[in-house]
Amino acid sequence: MSRDVFVRRELQPALPPPVSVSGPFGWLRTRLFAGPLSTVLTLASLAALWLIVPPLVRFLLIDAVWSGEGREACLGETVGRPVGACWPFITAKLGQLIYGFYPAGERWRVDLVFATALALLVPLLIPPAPFKRLNAALFFVVFPVAAYVLLVGGWFGLAVVETRAWGGLLVTLVVAVTGIVASLPLGILLALGRRSDLPAVRWLSVAFIEFWRGVPLITVLFFATYMLPLFLPGSWSIDNLLRALIGVAVFAAAYMAEVVRGGLQGVPRAQYEGATALGLRPWQTMALVVLPQALRLVIPGIVNTFIGLFKDTTLVMIVAIFDLLGQLRAAFADPSWASPSTLYTGFAFAGLIYFAFCFGMSRYAQFIERRLKAGR
C-alpha cells in the first residue's frame, strides 16, 4: 500500500442531529431566536408590546364607558372607577363625523353613494370577477357623474346641498378618491413626458414636477383656496372643495410621476428593442410592453403614495374644509361632552378609521404583488 493512501480504521463519531426547523418550536428558533442579536431584538419587542398593548386595551375596552347621555357618564366621579374611552361621545357624534353638516333628511343620498361605490369597487378588486371592462367603465365614468348629481343635487327634484355643508368621512373619501384616481393617469403622462425626446414636452414636464414637489401641500391648498380666485375673471367662481381637489390631485401627480419614472427606468433596454423588432410603433411599445412592466415594478411605490395621500387629506382642514379630523375637532367644542377622556377617545376613533383604510390598501397591494409575481 502506498504511503500517500489514508484508510480510516475506526468509525467516525456520529454527528448531532440537525436542528429542527419545522413546527412551532422550529419557527420560534429560526424566526425569533436565531442568534444573540435576534434574541435581543425579540425580547426588546416583547417588552415594548407589554408596555403599549395592555394599557391600550384597558383604555379602549376594559375601562371604557359604553353607554350614556352626556359628559357625566364619562366622569370618574360618576362611574366610581377609572374611566377609559368615552364611546357614547362617538355614538352621539357619529352622524356629524360621517356626514358633516349634510342635512339629516338628505343623508340617504350619501349612503346611496357609499353603497354604490362599494358595490362597484369590490368586484373591480377581485381578479376572477367577470365583466371587468364594464365594471371599470361604470366606476370610473358613470359613478363620478352619478355621485356628483346625488351629492350636490339640483336635478330630478333633489334639493341642492352646497359643498360647504359636506364634511366628515364624506369629505375625506371624496378628496382621497379624487386625488388617487386623478393622480395616477396624470402621473403616468408626466413620467412619459419627462422621458420624451421632444425638448418642449420634456422641459414642461420637468418644470411641472419640480415645482409641485418643491412646495408643501399646505402652500398648494392655500394657493388654490385663497390666491387662485385673484387670477380669475371677476365673473368666474370655483367651488372651495373643487379648488382643494385640484390642488391635491396635481400635488399627488407630481410624486406619482417620479414613482412611475422609476419603474420605466427599471425595464430592460431589450424590451424596447424586442418590441421594435416585432414592428410595434412607439406608442404600442409603451402601452403594450413597457408600461405594464413598469407599473408592476412600482406597485409598492404607487400604493405608498396613495396611503400618504389618504392621510394628507387631513390638511384640507386648514382651508376651512371639515374632513373627518376637522369634524372631530369641532365635536370636541361641545360642552355637553367635555370630559378628560373625550379628546383621547376621538383621536383613537379617527386613528382606527385611518388605519383600517391604509392597512386595507397595503394588504391588497401585497395580494396584487403576489398575484403578478412582481418580486421575480
Side-chain angles (χ1 to χ4, degrees):
M1 182 178 293
S2 174
R3 298 178 57 184
D4 297 331
V5 177
F6 170 77
V7 178
R8 181 176 293 277
R9 299 184 181 281
E10 65 275 1
L11 292 176
Q12 184 73 6
L15 296 175
V19 178
S20 174
V21 294
S22 62
F25 291 103
W27 185 87
L28 289 173
R29 185 181 295 112
T30 55
R31 301 294 181 87
L32 301 180
F33 302 99
L37 179 59
S38 175
T39 302
V40 170
L41 291 177
T42 299
L43 295 177
S45 301
L46 291 175
L49 290 175
W50 177 256
L51 291 175
I52 295 174
V53 174
L56 190 62
V57 172
R58 190 181 307 117
F59 176 81
L60 295 177
L61 300 175
I62 299 175
D63 293 340
V65 175
W66 297 94
S67 61
E69 300 294 334
R71 63 184 297 271
E72 289 77 13
C74 298
L75 295 177
E77 297 81 2
T78 306
V79 180
R81 59 174 174 80
V83 174
C86 181
W87 293 118
F89 164 73
I90 298 299
T91 304
K93 300 296 181 182
L94 191 59
Q96 180 181 343
L97 298 178
I98 294 177
Y99 306 101
F101 302 109
Y102 210 90
E106 304 293 333
R107 289 178 177 176
W108 63 270
R109 291 152 57 174
V110 180
D111 296 335
L112 183 58
V113 170
F114 285 164
T116 306
L118 194 63
L120 293 175
L121 184 61
V122 169
L124 198 61
L125 297 179
I126 299 175
F131 308 113
K132 275 288 185 291
R133 292 185 178 180
L134 176 62
N135 199 349
L138 290 175
F139 184 76
F140 291 108
V141 179
V142 179
F143 173 71
V145 178
Y148 178 81
V149 171
L150 272 173
L151 294 176
V152 176
W155 291 275
F156 311 113
L158 297 174
V160 176
V161 179
E162 298 184 359
T163 56
R164 61 185 176 184
W166 301 11
L169 186 62
L170 170 63
V171 164
T172 297
L173 293 180
V174 167
V175 175
V177 172
T178 304
I180 289 172
V181 172
S183 65
L184 182 57
L186 188 55
I188 292 174
L189 292 177
L190 289 170
L192 296 177
R194 187 160 188 168
R195 291 169 55 89
S196 173
D197 294 330
L198 301 175
V201 175
R202 184 172 64 252
W203 286 113
L204 283 175
S205 300
V206 170
F208 184 94
I209 293 170
E210 297 301 334
F211 174 77
W212 291 109
R213 283 204 311 162
V215 293
L217 181 56
I218 293 177
T219 305
V220 175
L221 292 174
F222 267 112
F223 178 82
T225 303
Y226 300 113
M227 297 186 64
L228 183 60
L230 301 178
F231 300 97
L232 297 177
S235 58
W236 287 23
S237 177
I238 302 178
D239 185 81
N240 285 343
L241 182 59
L242 180 59
R243 298 175 201 167
L245 292 177
I246 295 173
V248 170
V250 296
F251 184 84
Y255 282 87
M256 186 62 69
E258 289 302 281
V259 174
V260 176
R261 189 169 69 90
L264 293 173
Q265 291 179 340
V267 178
R269 185 69 183 172
Q271 297 293 316
Y272 294 86
E273 297 171 351
T276 304
L278 291 174
L280 297 181
R281 298 176 182 275
W283 68 269
Q284 290 176 319
T285 300
M286 187 57 64
L288 302 177
V289 178
V290 177
L291 200 53
Q293 298 182 64
L295 293 179
R296 191 184 68 171
L297 290 174
V298 294
I299 287 176
I302 292 175
V303 176
N304 192 44
T305 304
F306 287 165
I307 291 175
L309 174 62
F310 185 80
K311 293 187 292 185
D312 284 344
T313 58
T314 56
L315 294 176
V316 300
M317 184 174 58
I318 66 170
V319 290
I321 296 175
F322 288 85
D323 68 327
L324 175 62
L325 207 58
Q327 290 293 343
L328 189 63
R329 296 183 68 86
F332 291 153
D334 186 355
S336 61
W337 285 100
S339 73
S341 62
T342 300
L343 186 71
Y344 304 112
T345 305
F347 283 126
F349 176 73
L352 290 174
I353 290 181
Y354 280 101
F355 176 79
F357 279 97
C358 295
F359 185 71
M361 286 190 282
S362 174
R363 298 303 298 178
Y364 183 74
Q366 292 181 16
F367 164 72
I368 292 298
E369 283 185 63
R370 289 194 299 271
R371 183 177 176 81
L372 297 178
K373 300 178 180 176
R376 299 183 181 179

